[in-house]
Amino acid sequence: MFNNLSEKLDKALHVLKGHGSITEVNVAETLKEVRRALLDADVNFKIAKEFTNTVKEKALGQNVLTSLQPGQLMVKLVKDELTELMGGDAEGLNLSGTPSIILMSGLQGSGKTTFSGKLANFLKNKKTKKPLLVACDVYRPAAVDQLHVVGDQINVEVYSDKGNTDPVAIAKAGIAHAKANGHNVVIIDTAGRLAVDEAMMTEIANIRDAIQPQETLFVVDAMTGQDAVNTAKAFNDVLNFDGVILTKLDGDTRGGAAISIKSVVNKPIKFIGTGEKMEAIDVFYPSRMADRILG
Ligand code: GDP
């Protein structure tokens, strides 16, 4: 994960680590390399620039030039700023409703159905949760079948209504089914399209307005870098979602989406997907991710 970025940042900061004292030129050169590493990772230009400016200000504010271990201090400042950029503290799910309703949104292929299963499994393993998965993709029967396969795999019930072409009605019926059968979490998988389009946005917004979920989550493929950030912005403009799910981080060597998305949409990344298996889900902790990136 993010190997390229880790290597480049390590190289940029390594130069300072050996020094007992450093000059302003050293700091400027290092931050130039840090900025280049961020750009190579597909971080937006403006974000990369702001990032290095902030680190520079903090470095000078904390008298990095006269500190005892200037290299270490610079590494810490970069790590802290990366943590901040990725969201600061980890944010959990709001599971306050009875049942708690979680609505999944995102493009086709982003990993929505897989993640719906992973989340159901994650919550089921908490023992106090009895999730129900609801299949609201009325366009692709294969998507409904896929959710049933996932549900069978993790032993979680799936509600679907294959002849029904009204996703709002299916979502409502799914929630009624959950109430009648003692499910305390409902995870609603919706249809995605290959690109952002108005019909999809209207549909998901209609479902959201009708069922008032505690959590509307936006699922996005981390490997798509800046595209992921742009898609997040388009969805957030319409849905004002509550959190981001970054999938396929196992295949993402760059890291641009993970680093930029929070500051563009101002919504936390709540979970990450790190593989195709149902167990490949992790709560997203910005500080742990920053530790991983900086080794
Ligand atoms: P949907 O169209 O948004 O419902 O996407 P799917 O859940 O069908 O996922 C699309 C493809 O991505 C499938 O082949 C999944 O197995 C794969 N996938 C989903 N999440 C991950 C992940 O975290 N890592 C990897 N490597 N593959 C994933």
Side-chain angles (χ1 to χ4, degrees), residues 107-114 118 146 248 250 273-276:
L107 294 180
Q108 190 177 314
S110 59
K112 265 190 318 301
T113 303
T114 307
K118 287 178 181 177
Q146 188 191 345
K248 311 189 196 181
D250 49 311
T274 55
E276 293 186 272

Side-chain angles (χ1 to χ4, degrees), residues 104-110 112 136-137 139-140 143 189-195 197 200 203 235:
M104 312 300 302
S105 67
L107 294 180
Q108 190 177 314
S110 59
K112 265 190 318 301
C136 276
D137 189 335
Y139 310 102
R140 294 191 312 135
D189 188 19
T190 61
R193 307 267 203 288
L194 290 173
D197 79 38
M200 171 181 61
E203 178 177 304
F235 271 78

